[in-house]
Amino acid sequence: MDIKISPSMLASDYANLQTELEKCEKGGADLIHLDVMDGHFVPNISIGAPVIAAMKRVCAIDFDVHLMISNPYSYIDDFINSGADIITFHTECDSDIQKTIDKIIAGGCKAGLAVKPNTPIEEVFSYLDKLSMVLVMTVEPGFGGQGFMESTLPKIKSLRQKCPMLDIQVDGGINTETVKLAGAAGANVFVAGSAVFNSDDPAAAIQTLRNNAGI
Ligand code: DX5
Ligand code: ZN
C-alpha cells in the first residue's frame, strides 16, 4: 500500500494558514487533514466550511476533511462545495450512516468512516464496499497533542487482514516512533498534527514519518 502523510492543520498557526499550507506542499505531504469540530460531538470547536474553502484556494493538495460533528448528513453539501476531496465522518454520529456515505459519493467526493478508540472495528464492515478509507482513531477525538493509544493496534490489524487494499488511516499521537507501530499493524495513511507543526523543520518531519512508517 502507498504510504500517505496527512498533516493536521489543527496544530498549525491559524494566523498564517497559507504559509503553513506551503510548508506542507514543499514538504511533500500527500493530503491535508482538516479537523471540523462542533462542540457537541466533541467538546472542542474548530473550523468550518468557509475556512476550508479559503484554504483550498491556495493549496493544490487533496483535502482530507475529518468531521467530528453530531449530524454530518446536514453539512455534506457545504463541505463538498468547500473543495473537500475525502470526507470522513464517525460511526458514532447521529446521522444515517449509509445515507451520509451515499450523499458524499453522489457529490463527487470519496467517503471515509471513522471509529473512536473504544468502538469495535466491526462497525464499519457493512459499509466497506462504498468506502475509500477507514479512519481508526488512535486518541479520543477532540484535541491535538494527546498520547497514542496502543490499544487500538489490534483493530488496525484485523481491518488490514480483511481488506488488503483499503486505505487505513490513523489519527492522534502519531510521531516518529508511534508511526512505526501503526504502520506495522497495517495503517498506510498517517495524520500528524503536532509532530509536523511543532517541528522546526516540517518538511524533515514529514520525511521522517514517511520513512519510519515503512519500518
Ligand atoms: C484529534 C484530531 C487530530 C489531531 C491530531 O481529534 O482528529 O487530527 O489534530 O493531532 P496530533 O497529531 O497532535 O495528535
Ligand atoms: Zn483528525
Side-chain angles (χ1 to χ4, degrees):
M1 293 296 296
D2 282 351
I3 290 171
K4 297 176 197 167
I5 307 296
S6 188
S8 167
M9 301 307 291
L10 189 66
S12 73
D13 177 1
Y14 276 10
N16 292 290
L17 285 171
Q18 185 167 2
T19 312
E20 298 287 66
L21 288 165
E22 283 165 7
K23 287 180 191 169
C24 296
E25 275 190 286
K26 286 189 188 127
D30 302 281
L31 297 166
I32 299 293
H33 187 83
L34 288 319
D35 288 299
V36 177
M37 305 178 182
D38 65 355
H40 187 259
F41 183 79
V42 291
N44 213 356
I45 297 177
S46 60
I47 59 166
V51 177
I52 293 174
M55 292 165 80
K56 189 71 183 180
R57 287 200 291 275
V58 296
C59 182
I61 305 176
D62 278 0
F63 275 18
D64 155 32
V65 175
H66 178 194
L67 298 181
M68 288 165 274
I69 65 178
S70 292
N71 186 8
Y73 184 83
S74 301
Y75 297 92
I76 295 306
D77 287 338
D78 289 350
F79 289 102
I80 288 171
N81 292 334
S82 78
D85 296 279
I86 308 171
I87 298 179
T88 299
F89 66 100
H90 276 260
T91 57
E92 305 89 353
C93 74
D94 297 334
S95 300
D96 183 284
I97 293 175
Q98 191 64 62
K99 281 188 187 162
T100 306
I101 292 172
D102 291 345
K103 193 165 188 181
I104 294 169
I105 294 172
C109 274
K110 293 180 179 169
L113 196 53
V115 286
K116 296 206 262 187
N118 293 325
T119 300
I121 195 63
E122 288 75 15
E123 295 289 321
V124 307
F125 282 4
S126 51
Y127 308 102
L128 284 170
D129 58 331
K130 295 272 186 71
L131 294 174
S132 298
M133 188 165 79
V134 169
L135 164 54
V136 179
M137 288 301 298
T138 44
V139 299
E140 287 296 339
F143 300 91
Q146 303 183 78
F148 180 86
M149 294 170 67
E150 291 191 26
S151 59
T152 60
L153 291 171
K155 293 200 293 189
I156 302 168
K157 280 185 193 148
S158 73
L159 184 61
R160 177 55 75 210
Q161 272 180 350
K162 188 174 168 69
C163 305
M165 301 309 292
L166 178 71
D167 274 342
I168 301 179
Q169 183 175 55
V170 283
D171 181 9
I174 298 296
N175 58 37
T176 53
E177 293 309 308
T178 58
V179 73
K180 298 177 190 169
L181 302 175
N188 69 302
V189 185
F190 302 88
V191 177
S194 25
V196 169
F197 289 104
N198 291 354
S199 162
D200 293 336
D201 187 347
I206 290 169
Q207 188 58 49
T208 305
L209 288 168
R210 190 187 303 286
N211 293 343
N212 287 5
I215 287 174

